[in-house]
mmCIF file with all atom_site columns, all heavy atoms in Angstrom:
data_model
loop_
_atom_site.group_PDB
_atom_site.id
_atom_site.type_symbol
_atom_site.label_atom_id
_atom_site.label_alt_id
_atom_site.label_comp_id
_atom_site.label_asym_id
_atom_site.label_entity_id
_atom_site.label_seq_id
_atom_site.pdbx_PDB_ins_code
_atom_site.Cartn_x
_atom_site.Cartn_y
_atom_site.Cartn_z
_atom_site.occupancy
_atom_site.B_iso_or_equiv
_atom_site.pdbx_formal_charge
_atom_site.auth_seq_id
_atom_site.auth_comp_id
_atom_site.auth_asym_id
_atom_site.auth_atom_id
_atom_site.pdbx_PDB_model_num
ATOM 1   N N   . TRP A 1 128 ? 139.875 121.503 115.300 1.00 0.00 ? 128 TRP A N   1
ATOM 2   C CA  . TRP A 1 128 ? 139.048 122.585 114.966 1.00 0.00 ? 128 TRP A CA  1
ATOM 3   C C   . TRP A 1 128 ? 139.503 123.384 113.715 1.00 0.00 ? 128 TRP A C   1
ATOM 4   O O   . TRP A 1 128 ? 140.628 123.799 113.633 1.00 0.00 ? 128 TRP A O   1
ATOM 5   C CB  . TRP A 1 128 ? 138.982 123.571 116.153 1.00 0.00 ? 128 TRP A CB  1
ATOM 6   C CG  . TRP A 1 128 ? 138.083 124.755 115.952 1.00 0.00 ? 128 TRP A CG  1
ATOM 7   C CD1 . TRP A 1 128 ? 138.488 126.009 115.784 1.00 0.00 ? 128 TRP A CD1 1
ATOM 8   C CD2 . TRP A 1 128 ? 136.624 124.788 115.864 1.00 0.00 ? 128 TRP A CD2 1
ATOM 9   N NE1 . TRP A 1 128 ? 137.344 126.948 115.674 1.00 0.00 ? 128 TRP A NE1 1
ATOM 10  C CE2 . TRP A 1 128 ? 136.230 126.149 115.791 1.00 0.00 ? 128 TRP A CE2 1
ATOM 11  C CE3 . TRP A 1 128 ? 135.656 123.805 116.026 1.00 0.00 ? 128 TRP A CE3 1
ATOM 12  C CZ2 . TRP A 1 128 ? 134.946 126.587 115.662 1.00 0.00 ? 128 TRP A CZ2 1
ATOM 13  C CZ3 . TRP A 1 128 ? 134.284 124.203 115.978 1.00 0.00 ? 128 TRP A CZ3 1
ATOM 14  C CH2 . TRP A 1 128 ? 133.916 125.573 115.819 1.00 0.00 ? 128 TRP A CH2 1
ATOM 15  N N   . ASP A 1 129 ? 138.507 123.415 112.714 1.00 0.00 ? 129 ASP A N   1
ATOM 16  C CA  . ASP A 1 129 ? 138.852 124.237 111.652 1.00 0.00 ? 129 ASP A CA  1
ATOM 17  C C   . ASP A 1 129 ? 138.076 125.667 111.747 1.00 0.00 ? 129 ASP A C   1
ATOM 18  O O   . ASP A 1 129 ? 136.880 125.742 111.708 1.00 0.00 ? 129 ASP A O   1
ATOM 19  C CB  . ASP A 1 129 ? 138.158 123.517 110.325 1.00 0.00 ? 129 ASP A CB  1
ATOM 20  C CG  . ASP A 1 129 ? 138.397 124.390 109.048 1.00 0.00 ? 129 ASP A CG  1
ATOM 21  O OD1 . ASP A 1 129 ? 138.665 125.502 109.100 1.00 0.00 ? 129 ASP A OD1 1
ATOM 22  O OD2 . ASP A 1 129 ? 138.234 123.656 108.031 1.00 0.00 ? 129 ASP A OD2 1
ATOM 23  N N   . ALA A 1 130 ? 138.911 126.670 112.134 1.00 0.00 ? 130 ALA A N   1
ATOM 24  C CA  . ALA A 1 130 ? 138.425 127.944 112.450 1.00 0.00 ? 130 ALA A CA  1
ATOM 25  C C   . ALA A 1 130 ? 137.692 128.640 111.203 1.00 0.00 ? 130 ALA A C   1
ATOM 26  O O   . ALA A 1 130 ? 136.889 129.425 111.374 1.00 0.00 ? 130 ALA A O   1
ATOM 27  C CB  . ALA A 1 130 ? 139.509 128.840 112.992 1.00 0.00 ? 130 ALA A CB  1
ATOM 28  N N   . GLN A 1 131 ? 138.142 128.303 110.004 1.00 0.00 ? 131 GLN A N   1
ATOM 29  C CA  . GLN A 1 131 ? 137.532 128.959 108.814 1.00 0.00 ? 131 GLN A CA  1
ATOM 30  C C   . GLN A 1 131 ? 136.139 128.401 108.639 1.00 0.00 ? 131 GLN A C   1
ATOM 31  O O   . GLN A 1 131 ? 135.177 129.138 108.380 1.00 0.00 ? 131 GLN A O   1
ATOM 32  C CB  . GLN A 1 131 ? 138.391 128.671 107.577 1.00 0.00 ? 131 GLN A CB  1
ATOM 33  C CG  . GLN A 1 131 ? 137.898 129.266 106.369 1.00 0.00 ? 131 GLN A CG  1
ATOM 34  C CD  . GLN A 1 131 ? 138.828 129.065 105.169 1.00 0.00 ? 131 GLN A CD  1
ATOM 35  O OE1 . GLN A 1 131 ? 140.013 129.512 105.269 1.00 0.00 ? 131 GLN A OE1 1
ATOM 36  N NE2 . GLN A 1 131 ? 138.428 128.436 104.177 1.00 0.00 ? 131 GLN A NE2 1
ATOM 37  N N   . GLN A 1 132 ? 135.916 127.117 108.729 1.00 0.00 ? 132 GLN A N   1
ATOM 38  C CA  . GLN A 1 132 ? 134.644 126.488 108.625 1.00 0.00 ? 132 GLN A CA  1
ATOM 39  C C   . GLN A 1 132 ? 133.823 126.373 109.870 1.00 0.00 ? 132 GLN A C   1
ATOM 40  O O   . GLN A 1 132 ? 132.705 126.086 109.861 1.00 0.00 ? 132 GLN A O   1
ATOM 41  C CB  . GLN A 1 132 ? 134.764 125.090 107.917 1.00 0.00 ? 132 GLN A CB  1
ATOM 42  C CG  . GLN A 1 132 ? 135.353 125.066 106.532 1.00 0.00 ? 132 GLN A CG  1
ATOM 43  C CD  . GLN A 1 132 ? 134.558 125.869 105.562 1.00 0.00 ? 132 GLN A CD  1
ATOM 44  O OE1 . GLN A 1 132 ? 133.379 125.788 105.543 1.00 0.00 ? 132 GLN A OE1 1
ATOM 45  N NE2 . GLN A 1 132 ? 135.193 126.620 104.595 1.00 0.00 ? 132 GLN A NE2 1
ATOM 46  N N   . GLU A 1 133 ? 134.457 126.747 111.064 1.00 0.00 ? 133 GLU A N   1
ATOM 47  C CA  . GLU A 1 133 ? 133.807 126.565 112.338 1.00 0.00 ? 133 GLU A CA  1
ATOM 48  C C   . GLU A 1 133 ? 133.349 125.153 112.513 1.00 0.00 ? 133 GLU A C   1
ATOM 49  O O   . GLU A 1 133 ? 131.977 124.966 112.787 1.00 0.00 ? 133 GLU A O   1
ATOM 50  C CB  . GLU A 1 133 ? 132.887 127.683 112.524 1.00 0.00 ? 133 GLU A CB  1
ATOM 51  C CG  . GLU A 1 133 ? 133.373 129.103 112.574 1.00 0.00 ? 133 GLU A CG  1
ATOM 52  C CD  . GLU A 1 133 ? 132.426 130.158 112.962 1.00 0.00 ? 133 GLU A CD  1
ATOM 53  O OE1 . GLU A 1 133 ? 131.220 129.807 113.306 1.00 0.00 ? 133 GLU A OE1 1
ATOM 54  O OE2 . GLU A 1 133 ? 132.838 131.359 112.977 1.00 0.00 ? 133 GLU A OE2 1
ATOM 55  N N   . GLU A 1 134 ? 134.152 124.209 112.282 1.00 0.00 ? 134 GLU A N   1
ATOM 56  C CA  . GLU A 1 134 ? 133.674 122.778 112.478 1.00 0.00 ? 134 GLU A CA  1
ATOM 57  C C   . GLU A 1 134 ? 134.775 121.997 113.105 1.00 0.00 ? 134 GLU A C   1
ATOM 58  O O   . GLU A 1 134 ? 135.870 122.332 113.108 1.00 0.00 ? 134 GLU A O   1
ATOM 59  C CB  . GLU A 1 134 ? 133.405 122.181 111.070 1.00 0.00 ? 134 GLU A CB  1
ATOM 60  C CG  . GLU A 1 134 ? 134.601 122.142 110.136 1.00 0.00 ? 134 GLU A CG  1
ATOM 61  C CD  . GLU A 1 134 ? 134.231 121.707 108.730 1.00 0.00 ? 134 GLU A CD  1
ATOM 62  O OE1 . GLU A 1 134 ? 132.970 121.262 108.519 1.00 0.00 ? 134 GLU A OE1 1
ATOM 63  O OE2 . GLU A 1 134 ? 134.995 121.736 107.829 1.00 0.00 ? 134 GLU A OE2 1
ATOM 64  N N   . LEU A 1 135 ? 134.334 120.950 113.903 1.00 0.00 ? 135 LEU A N   1
ATOM 65  C CA  . LEU A 1 135 ? 135.228 120.106 114.630 1.00 0.00 ? 135 LEU A CA  1
ATOM 66  C C   . LEU A 1 135 ? 135.187 118.771 114.203 1.00 0.00 ? 135 LEU A C   1
ATOM 67  O O   . LEU A 1 135 ? 134.089 118.199 113.900 1.00 0.00 ? 135 LEU A O   1
ATOM 68  C CB  . LEU A 1 135 ? 134.693 120.155 116.233 1.00 0.00 ? 135 LEU A CB  1
ATOM 69  C CG  . LEU A 1 135 ? 135.519 119.346 117.220 1.00 0.00 ? 135 LEU A CG  1
ATOM 70  C CD1 . LEU A 1 135 ? 136.876 119.952 117.477 1.00 0.00 ? 135 LEU A CD1 1
ATOM 71  C CD2 . LEU A 1 135 ? 134.731 119.185 118.503 1.00 0.00 ? 135 LEU A CD2 1
ATOM 72  N N   . PHE A 1 136 ? 136.396 118.065 114.073 1.00 0.00 ? 136 PHE A N   1
ATOM 73  C CA  . PHE A 1 136 ? 136.508 116.713 113.722 1.00 0.00 ? 136 PHE A CA  1
ATOM 74  C C   . PHE A 1 136 ? 137.215 115.884 114.905 1.00 0.00 ? 136 PHE A C   1
ATOM 75  O O   . PHE A 1 136 ? 138.157 116.407 115.539 1.00 0.00 ? 136 PHE A O   1
ATOM 76  C CB  . PHE A 1 136 ? 137.417 116.489 112.634 1.00 0.00 ? 136 PHE A CB  1
ATOM 77  C CG  . PHE A 1 136 ? 136.874 117.037 111.293 1.00 0.00 ? 136 PHE A CG  1
ATOM 78  C CD1 . PHE A 1 136 ? 137.159 118.363 110.900 1.00 0.00 ? 136 PHE A CD1 1
ATOM 79  C CD2 . PHE A 1 136 ? 136.030 116.241 110.406 1.00 0.00 ? 136 PHE A CD2 1
ATOM 80  C CE1 . PHE A 1 136 ? 136.545 118.912 109.685 1.00 0.00 ? 136 PHE A CE1 1
ATOM 81  C CE2 . PHE A 1 136 ? 135.527 116.666 109.277 1.00 0.00 ? 136 PHE A CE2 1
ATOM 82  C CZ  . PHE A 1 136 ? 135.812 118.063 108.929 1.00 0.00 ? 136 PHE A CZ  1
ATOM 83  N N   . ILE A 1 137 ? 136.535 114.893 115.403 1.00 0.00 ? 137 ILE A N   1
ATOM 84  C CA  . ILE A 1 137 ? 137.197 114.072 116.473 1.00 0.00 ? 137 ILE A CA  1
ATOM 85  C C   . ILE A 1 137 ? 137.376 112.687 115.881 1.00 0.00 ? 137 ILE A C   1
ATOM 86  O O   . ILE A 1 137 ? 136.440 112.120 115.227 1.00 0.00 ? 137 ILE A O   1
ATOM 87  C CB  . ILE A 1 137 ? 136.284 113.962 117.709 1.00 0.00 ? 137 ILE A CB  1
ATOM 88  C CG1 . ILE A 1 137 ? 135.921 115.361 118.187 1.00 0.00 ? 137 ILE A CG1 1
ATOM 89  C CG2 . ILE A 1 137 ? 136.857 113.149 118.699 1.00 0.00 ? 137 ILE A CG2 1
ATOM 90  C CD1 . ILE A 1 137 ? 134.981 115.355 119.401 1.00 0.00 ? 137 ILE A CD1 1
ATOM 91  N N   . VAL A 1 138 ? 138.552 112.151 115.999 1.00 0.00 ? 138 VAL A N   1
ATOM 92  C CA  . VAL A 1 138 ? 138.932 110.902 115.250 1.00 0.00 ? 138 VAL A CA  1
ATOM 93  C C   . VAL A 1 138 ? 139.508 109.933 116.220 1.00 0.00 ? 138 VAL A C   1
ATOM 94  O O   . VAL A 1 138 ? 140.229 110.238 117.168 1.00 0.00 ? 138 VAL A O   1
ATOM 95  C CB  . VAL A 1 138 ? 140.109 111.238 114.222 1.00 0.00 ? 138 VAL A CB  1
ATOM 96  C CG1 . VAL A 1 138 ? 140.379 110.056 113.389 1.00 0.00 ? 138 VAL A CG1 1
ATOM 97  C CG2 . VAL A 1 138 ? 139.497 112.325 113.255 1.00 0.00 ? 138 VAL A CG2 1
ATOM 98  N N   . ARG A 1 139 ? 139.176 108.587 116.026 1.00 0.00 ? 139 ARG A N   1
ATOM 99  C CA  . ARG A 1 139 ? 139.780 107.523 116.783 1.00 0.00 ? 139 ARG A CA  1
ATOM 100 C C   . ARG A 1 139 ? 140.486 106.549 115.909 1.00 0.00 ? 139 ARG A C   1
ATOM 101 O O   . ARG A 1 139 ? 139.950 106.259 114.745 1.00 0.00 ? 139 ARG A O   1
ATOM 102 C CB  . ARG A 1 139 ? 138.594 106.809 117.612 1.00 0.00 ? 139 ARG A CB  1
ATOM 103 C CG  . ARG A 1 139 ? 139.137 105.940 118.714 1.00 0.00 ? 139 ARG A CG  1
ATOM 104 C CD  . ARG A 1 139 ? 138.061 105.329 119.512 1.00 0.00 ? 139 ARG A CD  1
ATOM 105 N NE  . ARG A 1 139 ? 138.628 104.521 120.651 1.00 0.00 ? 139 ARG A NE  1
ATOM 106 C CZ  . ARG A 1 139 ? 137.895 103.609 121.251 1.00 0.00 ? 139 ARG A CZ  1
ATOM 107 N NH1 . ARG A 1 139 ? 136.635 103.340 121.002 1.00 0.00 ? 139 ARG A NH1 1
ATOM 108 N NH2 . ARG A 1 139 ? 138.583 102.842 122.202 1.00 0.00 ? 139 ARG A NH2 1
ATOM 109 N N   . ASP A 1 140 ? 141.510 105.931 116.393 1.00 0.00 ? 140 ASP A N   1
ATOM 110 C CA  . ASP A 1 140 ? 142.293 105.042 115.608 1.00 0.00 ? 140 ASP A CA  1
ATOM 111 C C   . ASP A 1 140 ? 141.634 103.779 115.222 1.00 0.00 ? 140 ASP A C   1
ATOM 112 O O   . ASP A 1 140 ? 140.556 103.516 115.766 1.00 0.00 ? 140 ASP A O   1
ATOM 113 C CB  . ASP A 1 140 ? 143.663 104.728 116.280 1.00 0.00 ? 140 ASP A CB  1
ATOM 114 C CG  . ASP A 1 140 ? 143.425 103.966 117.521 1.00 0.00 ? 140 ASP A CG  1
ATOM 115 O OD1 . ASP A 1 140 ? 142.850 102.891 117.583 1.00 0.00 ? 140 ASP A OD1 1
ATOM 116 O OD2 . ASP A 1 140 ? 143.828 104.459 118.642 1.00 0.00 ? 140 ASP A OD2 1
ATOM 117 N N   . ARG A 1 141 ? 142.180 102.978 114.314 1.00 0.00 ? 141 ARG A N   1
ATOM 118 C CA  . ARG A 1 141 ? 141.528 101.901 113.727 1.00 0.00 ? 141 ARG A CA  1
ATOM 119 C C   . ARG A 1 141 ? 141.146 100.779 114.752 1.00 0.00 ? 141 ARG A C   1
ATOM 120 O O   . ARG A 1 141 ? 140.043 100.239 114.665 1.00 0.00 ? 141 ARG A O   1
ATOM 121 C CB  . ARG A 1 141 ? 142.421 101.160 112.642 1.00 0.00 ? 141 ARG A CB  1
ATOM 122 C CG  . ARG A 1 141 ? 142.764 101.975 111.422 1.00 0.00 ? 141 ARG A CG  1
ATOM 123 C CD  . ARG A 1 141 ? 143.853 101.254 110.702 1.00 0.00 ? 141 ARG A CD  1
ATOM 124 N NE  . ARG A 1 141 ? 144.248 102.009 109.504 1.00 0.00 ? 141 ARG A NE  1
ATOM 125 C CZ  . ARG A 1 141 ? 145.116 103.037 109.348 1.00 0.00 ? 141 ARG A CZ  1
ATOM 126 N NH1 . ARG A 1 141 ? 145.704 103.445 110.486 1.00 0.00 ? 141 ARG A NH1 1
ATOM 127 N NH2 . ARG A 1 141 ? 145.366 103.479 108.198 1.00 0.00 ? 141 ARG A NH2 1
#
Side-chain angles (χ1 to χ4, degrees):
W128 176 253
D129 181 341
Q131 180 174 302
Q132 298 295 324
E133 295 187 4
E134 58 186 359
L135 180 71
F136 293 89
I137 303 178
V138 181
R139 193 175 182 199
D140 65 59
R141 295 171 177 85

